[in-house]
Amino acid sequence: MKISAVIVGAGISGLMTALEVARFADVAVCVPPQGWTTSSTYRAQGGIAVALGADDYPHHHYNDTVRVGRGLCHEEAVDILTKSAPTILLPMIEAGIFAMRQSGIPALGLEAGHSHPRIVHAPGGLTGQAIAHFLYEQARRNPRIRWVTGRAIQLITNQNGHCLGVWVRPPSGPPFPLWASATVLATGGYAALWHTTTNPATSIGHGHWLAYQAGAELADLEFVQFHPTVLAEDVPRGNALLLTEALRGLGAHLLDPEDRRFMLTHPQQELAPRDEVARAIFQQPAAYLSLKHVNPAEVNQQFGELSALVAARGYELSSDRLPVHTGAHYCMGGIRTDVFGQTTVQGLYAVGEAAHTGVHGANRLASNSLLEGLVFGQRVGYHITHHPRPAPKSEAINLHPPTTAVLRDDEALDLMGRLLDEHLGVIRTKQSITQALAILDTLINQNDHWLFRFAMLIARAAYERTESRGAHFRADAPKTDPEQQGHFIQHVEHGLHFTALTHV
């Protein structure tokens, strides 16, 4: 089978890209050994933002996205996202994926940072699963889509720095190359580098590292969003239970140990933007989420599946005071791309959370992530098929797969996860970041593992951004600096540099 593209990852952005490419050409999807359900998409709860209300329009959605992005959103990307939303969601609305009103239109919820109710959600609350199954069933039946199980371990490049495909290590047997005119990294984010995370344990930025080693630029790695409401438990990395923002949209309160609502002084109260709610919770001695005052029937009707997950942890969603803390959740930083997913390496694309289109700025608006995967996945697929490149030739400079590291990834993460929680968490300081850099340097000297080096890139970007903006908050520099309205870019050969944003 001659393939036009190989897509690494099978979350919402990877599946959407594959389906779009398969309209015109053959495509391979590289699925991790753990299976396609291990993506962040499959865990996503809340819903998808779309301006469908009688008094809501895409420009309102645009304005909310830009406002929450704290001056770093790329206007063209936001315009594409918000205007494309109604059309791209129509097939899913017609397929009955989302909860509907008796009038025949989707039920619209309200979430943090939004000026209008515009969140569509699946019945039961597990929207990511519903969309993933919808896309996967289409992809599974498509004869133009080839499924490959394995872990991408290195991009194949030539003397000109062009990407020709990817090396894949299968569950058993030796690594093999997948050649393609276009290679798409849909590998998700890197929030599982932190020990306390809402992400699956596999979201550790390996796609970012592959791109970086191949010469692609990375941007804004310091911007990691911490979800305010994660059920507070001592569980292994990757097993935390997120309590969706939609619960607060329904009316849930955030309480301190004395049962006082500590968000009352904010104009938007519990529905303030995520970065502000996360910092408020982080600074409490303990915090709780409560739905006791909300009709239990309404809670169970809208969040029945989430209620079952909460019950499995020993709590009752509608009546218990649920202990919550913050957790690393979403990465605004990523592989730098244009609005068609093209990276700075010819033949290499990135999409979804792996990509940095600039659509989220310094802080993502709630329920824009699944939408991004759909909109830009379709655009990447369109660009690949409508701007074909010549078939790759065997002129690669790395036809031998890389050797396996002495230290396993999980061992490296055990050494590093709590370090990031403590020193690169919700609130940072020059001192904490400096300590992180020193410890990471020691770890690299002891064992030169790629995870330590990638974490070093994140820490360096956080150190250089000597301001507070969006998800990056420094207690020693709590104000936003107009001189730092731009992006910190990192390249394997050229190091770190700052690029001012001039078109916002």
Side-chain angles (χ1 to χ4, degrees):
M1 181 183 190
K2 181 182 177 182
I3 57 175
S4 294
V6 56
I7 299 166
V8 183
I12 191 171
S13 59
L15 291 172
M16 192 67 178
T17 305
L19 287 167
E20 182 65 21
V21 173
R23 293 177 59 202
F24 305 98
D26 293 324
V27 57
V29 178
C30 183
V31 182
Q34 300 90 339
W36 70 276
T37 60
T38 57
S39 69
S40 291
T41 297
Y42 207 74
R43 292 190 175 202
Q45 294 178 19
I48 299 186
V50 54
L52 292 177
D55 60 345
D56 193 16
Y57 297 93
H59 71 267
H60 295 141
H61 187 184
Y62 173 98
N63 290 338
D64 290 344
T65 300
V66 170
R67 174 175 47 80
V68 170
R70 309 298 193 213
L72 288 191
C73 289
H74 288 208
E75 293 179 344
E76 182 184 8
V78 179
D79 190 59
I80 290 167
L81 181 83
T82 55
K83 287 182 177 177
S84 302
T87 302
I88 208 160
L89 289 178
L90 184 60
M92 298 177 195
I93 294 171
E94 293 175 340
I97 286 180
F98 304 118
M100 305 292 286
R101 293 175 179 164
Q102 290 183 348
S103 59
I105 64 171
L108 301 174
L110 182 65
E111 289 187 1
H114 290 272
S115 59
H116 295 72
R118 65 167 68 98
I119 313 303
V120 295
H121 62 276
L126 303 185
T127 305
Q129 284 190 23
I131 294 173
H133 280 289
F134 175 78
L135 296 176
Y136 176 74
E137 286 304 314
Q138 294 180 60
R140 183 179 62 82
R141 297 192 300 265
N142 194 310
R144 282 180 163 170
I145 297 178
R146 169 188 173 191
W147 300 89
V148 178
T149 300
R151 177 183 171 88
I153 56 175
Q154 188 179 55
L155 296 175
I156 303 170
T157 54
N158 65 12
Q159 294 92 333
N160 296 321
H162 299 171
C163 184
L164 309 177
V166 63
W167 278 101
V168 177
R169 177 176 288 122
S172 61
F176 59 89
L178 274 179
W179 300 89
S181 301
T183 302
V184 183
L185 295 174
T187 48
Y190 48 90
L193 295 176
W194 280 255
H195 177 79
T196 307
T197 179
T198 65
N199 283 199
T202 52
S203 295
I204 55 176
H206 84 277
H208 299 72
W209 187 250
L210 296 182
Y212 178 75
Q213 287 193 306
E217 291 182 343
L218 306 181
D220 290 351
L221 295 183
E222 68 273 27
F223 290 118
V224 177
Q225 186 177 79
F226 291 81
H227 199 282
T229 51
V230 181
L231 190 63
E233 303 173 289
D234 187 11
V235 294
R237 184 182 58 87
N239 289 340
L241 179 60
L242 181 148
L243 300 175
T244 173
E245 207 141 20
L247 294 171
R248 284 176 279 137
L250 187 63
H253 291 165
L254 290 173
L255 307 174
D256 66 14
E258 305 301 321
D259 279 348
R260 294 173 299 203
R261 291 176 62 192
F262 55 84
M263 290 301 298
L264 278 178
T265 57
H266 193 284
Q268 294 173 278
Q269 300 180 6
E270 279 85 359
L271 290 177
R274 280 183 179 172
D275 58 325
E276 298 181 56
V277 180
R279 286 195 295 275
I281 288 177
F282 184 80
Q283 294 177 87
Q284 294 294 323
Y288 303 88
L289 184 142
S290 176
L291 287 152
K292 291 181 180 180
H293 57 286
V294 180
N295 185 341
E298 191 174 1
V299 174
N300 291 324
Q301 179 185 2
Q302 291 196 32
F303 301 101
E305 294 183 57
L306 176 59
S307 182
L309 294 176
V310 171
R313 307 290 179 111
Y315 294 96
E316 172 56 49
L317 180 62
S318 62
S319 60
D320 283 346
R321 194 177 70 154
L322 305 175
V324 294
H325 60 193
T326 61
H329 177 61
Y330 189 89
C331 303
M332 279 70 69
I335 305 161
R336 196 179 189 194
T337 74
D338 64 12
V339 293
F340 285 104
Q342 294 183 105
T343 73
T344 51
V345 171
Q346 186 171 323
L348 179 64
Y349 293 77
V351 66
E353 192 176 353
H356 177 275
T357 61
V359 72
H360 302 304
N363 187 45
R364 176 175 66 80
L365 181 65
S367 289
N368 268 354
S369 56
L370 293 176
L371 179 61
E372 177 196 20
L374 292 170
V375 170
F376 288 94
Q378 186 180 74
R379 291 177 67 84
V380 169
Y382 178 90
H383 193 273
I384 288 170
T385 53
H386 287 74
H387 299 83
R389 291 185 172 87
K393 300 177 181 179
S394 299
E395 54 185 29
I397 61 174
N398 53 354
L399 273 177
H400 300 286
T403 57
T404 304
V406 175
L407 191 67
R408 298 197 316 266
D409 286 356
D410 59 339
E411 294 173 325
L413 290 163
D414 286 342
L415 292 171
M416 189 176 67
R418 295 191 188 277
L419 158 71
L420 298 185
D421 281 359
E422 181 178 355
H423 297 294
L424 283 173
V426 177
I427 296 178
R428 307 161 178 182
T429 65
K430 179 179 180 180
Q431 181 181 8
S432 73
I433 301 169
T434 301
Q435 289 172 341
L437 287 166
I439 297 170
L440 288 168
D441 188 59
T442 299
L443 290 173
I444 290 170
N445 289 331
Q446 293 172 349
N447 193 308
D448 194 6
H449 195 283
W450 74 269
L451 280 167
F452 299 151
R453 289 197 171 273
F454 182 52
M456 183 72 85
L457 298 182
I458 300 169
R460 284 174 180 161
Y463 183 87
E464 293 297 327
R465 187 167 290 280
T466 54
E467 64 162 356
S468 290
R469 185 187 294 269
H472 173 75
F473 185 86
R474 286 186 49 161
D476 58 322
K479 294 184 178 180
T480 298
D481 182 359
E483 296 298 317
Q484 291 202 333
Q485 186 177 13
H487 307 292
F488 284 98
I489 310 297
Q490 302 196 60
H491 186 272
V492 65
E493 293 182 1
H494 307 138
L496 182 147
H497 70 275
F498 178 77
T499 300
L501 190 62
T502 58
H503 60 277
V504 170

